[in-house]
Amino acid sequence: MPEMNPQTHVIDFRAAEQLLAARDPRGAVKLLDSVIAAHPENTAARLLRARAFFAAAQLRPAELEIELVLEREPDNAFAHFALARTFQRSGRPAQAQRHFRLAAALDPQPEYVEAARFET
């Protein structure tokens, strides 16, 4: 196995983004596994891996990944939104609604506000 260095991890992260965009979420997860093993605190890599899990319909791993991010960054609006989408897709609407509202409260982007169904 080749020696991993920080530059390799950046390349793997970018390649994982491309794989996810090309609809290869499992390939993205494989690349991100080594990045996260080397940098477990990297929330960007964890959120990208959560997105890949979600795209691969692996909802429980996606949920766990996002929860780790939210432990470190409780004010991360995107993480709340992603968790809400995961709960929604898992058939857990009450939990989804809570996190949609948190996302909208933290960052009132139109997509977040619409998903939270705030009365205006």
Side-chain angles (χ1 to χ4, degrees):
M1 179 173 211
E3 183 179 325
M4 300 296 273
N5 62 50
Q7 194 172 24
T8 303
H9 295 136
V10 171
I11 292 167
D12 284 349
F13 180 88
R14 297 293 178 220
E17 288 179 319
Q18 293 300 315
L19 285 172
L20 189 55
R23 298 184 183 188
D24 181 5
R26 287 183 174 82
V29 167
K30 285 180 186 174
L31 283 176
L32 291 165
D33 285 345
S34 65
V35 174
I36 291 169
H39 304 282
E41 75 292 345
N42 186 320
T43 55
R46 288 193 176 277
L47 280 174
L48 186 59
R49 188 163 70 171
R51 288 178 47 217
F53 281 136
F54 183 87
Q58 296 178 19
L59 301 180
R60 184 65 181 147
E63 178 183 336
L64 293 172
E65 206 65 68
I66 298 165
E67 286 174 345
L68 280 171
V69 170
L70 286 172
E71 283 176 18
R72 293 187 185 112
E73 299 178 6
D75 60 345
N76 185 319
F78 176 78
H80 282 287
F81 184 76
L83 186 57
R85 295 273 316 228
T86 303
F87 284 144
Q88 184 180 49
R89 195 166 169 192
S90 300
R92 295 150 67 189
Q95 288 172 289
Q97 187 65 18
R98 177 177 180 269
H99 286 279
F100 279 136
R101 288 179 180 239
L102 283 166
L106 289 165
D107 183 0
Q109 290 186 37
E111 184 180 13
Y112 297 174
V113 173
E114 183 180 332
R117 295 186 194 95
F118 281 124
E119 297 300 319
T120 53

